[in-house]
């Protein structure tokens, strides 16, 4: 592999001249610049990003941790983050933790060794060591979706959706259709977004005089298989519900499959609402009514907030709460014999 010294010899100039041409740090004559550029092309020289970062103390690189790269919700956020990074002249290193605390810690160390300028984190559900690890990195960090209290009071920025409000929207929609026996399939216990969506479901039921959901809560693992298995458990209950709020779209797709296997027509015999509004939700059969998270805005805001910190434009922690929206499609309908009521 050609080095900067090889380029200098080939162009018959000094190493510092090659450096100035590559980095644009000083004026070089047109003739000298052309000789250097010709040498670079002839030798296939690639400047060392690591060497340049040591001089400038930045790498123009951001890191991002996500818990599950196979979940379209995270994939859509990553797409938004990558587009924003590219537009700002930054590279993105993406790490999938597979919801494993050990893997998350290992990737944090890898990213630190790569001298990233900033970090975006969607944390795994159960990792008590993460606050200490993040505090030890001492780099600008933005949390997405899941808030973490850091050690030593070091603040992190946060951008998330109002999950409780999303649970309220989903459940109130079903209540407006005349449903009263409304079950919920939540995500793994202890995951903050899932717990908050469940809290919204309980609150809407209580406000409508339908209890607090006692005996109507099941859990999945935010996968289609998890939703499929949970829905089968729901339908085996002595008094199956007429409607189900499912705490993410992947589980809702599995729930649709389970209902189909039980010969239950959706929405005529059972109404289902999801959460996230991933792109695939509009193409299920029937198309899925769901609570939309502003995924594009979440990703763009995470990058913008990180760059504010990196550029020294802001020191104080900032928290942004985005509002969800209901997307009514064809998986919900009025309870049989009920005309429903206005939402």
């Amino acid at each position: 592999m050609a080095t900067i010294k090889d380029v200098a010899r080939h162009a018959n100039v000094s190493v510092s001249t090659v450096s100035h041409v590559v980095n644009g740090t000083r004026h070089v004559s047109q003739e000298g610049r052309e000789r250097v550029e010709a040498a670079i092309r002839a030798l296939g020289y690639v400047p060392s990003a690591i060497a340049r970062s040591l001089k400038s103390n930045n790498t123009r690189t951001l890191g991002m941790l996500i818990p599950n790269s196979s979940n379209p919700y995270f994939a859509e956020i990553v797409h938004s983050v990558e587009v924003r990074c590219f537009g700002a002249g930054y590279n993105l290193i993406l790490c999938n933790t597979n919801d494993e605390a050990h893997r998350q810690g290992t990737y944090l160390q890898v990213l630190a060794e790569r001298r990233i300028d900033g970090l975006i984190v969607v944390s795994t559900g159960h990792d008590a060591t993460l606050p200490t690890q993040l505090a030890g990195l001492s780099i600008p960090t933005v949390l997405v979706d899941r808030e973490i209290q850091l050690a030593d009071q070091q603040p992190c920025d946060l951008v998330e959706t109002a999950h409780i409000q999303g649970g309220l929207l989903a459940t109130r929609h079903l209540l407006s259709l005349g449903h009263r026996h409304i079950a919920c399939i939540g995500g793994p216990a202890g995951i903050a977004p899932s717990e908050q969506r469940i809290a919204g479901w309980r609150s809407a039921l209580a406000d409508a005089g339908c209890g607090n959901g006692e005996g109507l809560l099941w859990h999945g693992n935010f996968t289609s298989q998890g939703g499929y298995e949970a829905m089968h458990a729901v339908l085996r209950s002595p008094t199956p519900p007429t409607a189900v709020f499912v705490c993410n779209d992947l589980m809702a797709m599995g729930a649709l499959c389970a209902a189909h296997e039980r010969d239950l027509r959706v929405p005529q015999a059972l109404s289902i609402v999801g959460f996230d509004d991933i792109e695939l939700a509009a193409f299920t059969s029937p198309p899925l009514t769901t609570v939309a998270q502003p995924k594009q805005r979440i990703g763009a805001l995470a990058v913008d907030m990180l760059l504010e910190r990196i550029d020294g434009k802001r020191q104080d922690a900032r928290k942004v709460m985005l509002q969800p929206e209901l997307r009514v499609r064809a998986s919900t309908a009025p309870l049989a014999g009920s005309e429903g009521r206005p939402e």
Side-chain angles (χ1 to χ4, degrees), residues 70-144:
S70 65
N71 186 329
Y73 166 71
F74 296 120
E76 291 177 32
I77 288 182
V78 168
H79 175 73
S80 176
V81 167
E82 193 278 328
V83 167
R84 202 67 158 200
C85 284
F86 186 81
Y90 277 77
N91 299 309
L92 180 68
I93 299 177
L94 178 66
C95 299
N96 172 40
T97 65
N98 203 34
D99 255 328
E100 297 173 10
H102 173 71
R103 184 176 297 206
Q104 180 169 258
T106 299
Y107 279 140
L108 281 172
Q109 182 63 36
V110 169
L111 291 172
E113 292 171 358
R114 294 294 183 92
R115 297 173 57 86
I116 58 171
D117 298 330
L119 179 64
I120 298 171
V121 177
V122 187
S123 66
T124 61
H126 306 283
D127 185 1
T129 67
L130 182 60
T132 303
Q133 290 176 316
L134 290 178
L137 291 179
S138 298
I139 60 173
T141 300
V142 175
L143 306 175
V144 172

Side-chain angles (χ1 to χ4, degrees), residues 284-305:
T284 57
S285 181
L288 184 66
T289 294
T290 185
V291 176
Q293 296 203 64
K295 298 175 289 298
Q296 182 175 350
R297 193 164 173 227
I298 288 172
L301 264 175
V303 176
D304 290 347
M305 292 163 70

Side-chain angles (χ1 to χ4, degrees), residues 10 59 61 72 122 130 140 149 188 192 205 248:
H10 194 282
T59 60
T61 300
V122 187
L130 182 60
Q149 297 299 324
L205 290 179
N248 83 338

Side-chain angles (χ1 to χ4, degrees), residues 5 8 73 136 168 214 266 304 323:
K5 291 181 179 180
Y73 166 71
L168 284 166
E214 186 69 29
V266 176
D304 290 347
Q323 294 302 310

